[in-house]
Amino acid sequence: MRKIYKSKKILRLLFTVIVAGFMTTASAQLNGTYTIDAGSATGGTNYANWADFRSAIVTNGVNGAVTVNVITDITESAQINFPVISGTSSTNTVTIKGNGKFLSIDVADAVIQLSGADWFTFDNLVIRNTTTSQYATGIRFNNASDNNTFKNGIIEFTALSVGTTSGGAYISSSTSATSPTTTSSTNPGLNNVFDNNTMRTTNVNSPGPAYAVTMTGSNSTYSNTAQNNTLSNNKIQNFYYMAVYMYYT
């Protein structure tokens, strides 16, 4: 009986340790330096792809400044969407250093969407959309995504071949995946900066997207709320309909 009791006690202790370890791992907030590296196994400070990093930061949030170094080119199967991230602030920022690597996705929407994320910086990243859809978009932000920066990067479409006056933009502040000019009562984002980026198509004779950039504001607070979004030093190589569309700003 004593041996059985001890065995049960040991099993109970092991179960407690395993559960405690799982809870610690599952709820660990991000803080420090990480990598996105297709050649690495996911775990510790490494993520094998963008989807894994996105899942970790959305689930766990941050409790300090986070830096992510992109080590390899990555092709994903779905849009990378960053919603509200718990813990981000002017000190608890998220800096993604692209190092000239590409994030490539075939999606009839944006490659990267910010749907409430704040205090993100994307530096020297190639954002590549390989869809043939007229709704091809590079970056889309909405739902009060504030204080974000995209700089020194490339936003490019590799397969867009048909011109249209509706749908598609390199940068869009819209709630809609199919209309880059859609507005709502929620401000899409304040104090965002797009600096020193190149916007282009790479296939021969591509007409470009309908818009290069659309900047829309809240249709209920535009008269008393400054967006303070900045477009500076960017190179727009081609577009089909309008270079810059602004409404309720």
Side-chain angles (χ1 to χ4, degrees):
M1 290 297 291
R2 184 176 298 173
K3 289 182 179 180
I4 294 173
Y5 171 76
K6 285 184 177 179
S7 297
K8 288 182 177 179
K9 186 175 181 180
I10 291 170
L11 285 173
R12 229 178 5 252
L13 178 61
L14 285 171
F15 177 77
T16 301
V17 171
I18 290 170
V19 170
F22 174 76
M23 290 176 66
T24 301
T25 301
S27 61
Q29 293 174 298
L30 275 64
N31 185 345
T33 302
Y34 302 83
T35 64
I36 296 177
D37 181 1
S40 70
T42 300
T45 59
N46 299 313
Y47 296 97
N49 51 54
W50 282 79
D52 287 346
F53 166 68
R54 184 257 178 206
S55 177
I57 198 168
V58 169
T59 300
N60 302 321
V62 305
N63 64 356
V66 171
T67 299
V68 181
N69 287 298
V70 181
I71 305 301
T72 55
D73 297 322
I74 302 285
T75 297
E76 294 282 359
S77 60
Q79 179 187 78
I80 303 301
N81 185 344
F82 293 102
V84 176
I85 305 299
S86 173
T88 55
S89 67
S90 59
T91 54
N92 293 354
T93 58
V94 179
T95 301
I96 299 176
K97 296 182 178 180
N99 296 304
K101 304 302 182 182
F102 68 69
L103 166 60
S104 178
I105 304 175
D106 180 344
V107 58
D109 188 5
V111 173
I112 294 177
Q113 180 179 355
L114 303 183
S115 55
D118 301 331
W119 301 105
F120 271 69
T121 293
F122 297 81
D123 185 7
N124 193 21
L125 176 67
V126 179
I127 298 170
R128 178 178 296 170
N129 198 328
T130 61
T131 187
T132 59
S133 170
Q134 70 187 59
Y135 303 120
T137 303
I139 301 161
R140 183 158 66 89
F141 68 98
N142 55 37
N143 193 34
S145 295
D146 303 331
N147 303 297
N148 300 295
T149 299
F150 289 82
K151 63 181 181 178
N152 307 319
I154 296 173
I155 307 165
E156 65 183 17
F157 304 150
T158 63
L160 185 64
S161 60
V162 178
T164 177
T165 58
S166 63
Y170 297 111
I171 299 170
S172 168
S173 58
S174 172
T175 58
S176 171
T178 58
S179 172
T181 60
T182 296
T183 61
S184 74
S185 59
T186 300
N187 211 311
L190 309 175
N191 306 313
N192 297 298
V193 175
F194 300 88
D195 181 65
N196 196 37
N197 301 291
T198 296
M199 308 175 206
R200 69 188 186 189
T201 57
T202 60
N203 53 322
V204 178
N205 297 324
S206 172
Y211 304 88
V213 177
T214 66
M215 285 289 166
T216 61
S218 163
N219 56 26
S220 62
T221 64
Y222 70 93
S223 62
N224 54 26
T225 301
Q227 283 183 269
N228 292 322
N229 292 318
T230 301
L231 294 161
S232 56
N233 306 307
N234 298 288
K235 181 188 292 183
I236 300 171
Q237 291 190 351
N238 65 339
F239 59 92
Y240 184 75
Y241 185 43
M242 293 186 187
V244 179
Y245 173 98
M246 301 176 68
Y247 202 56
Y248 290 124
T249 56

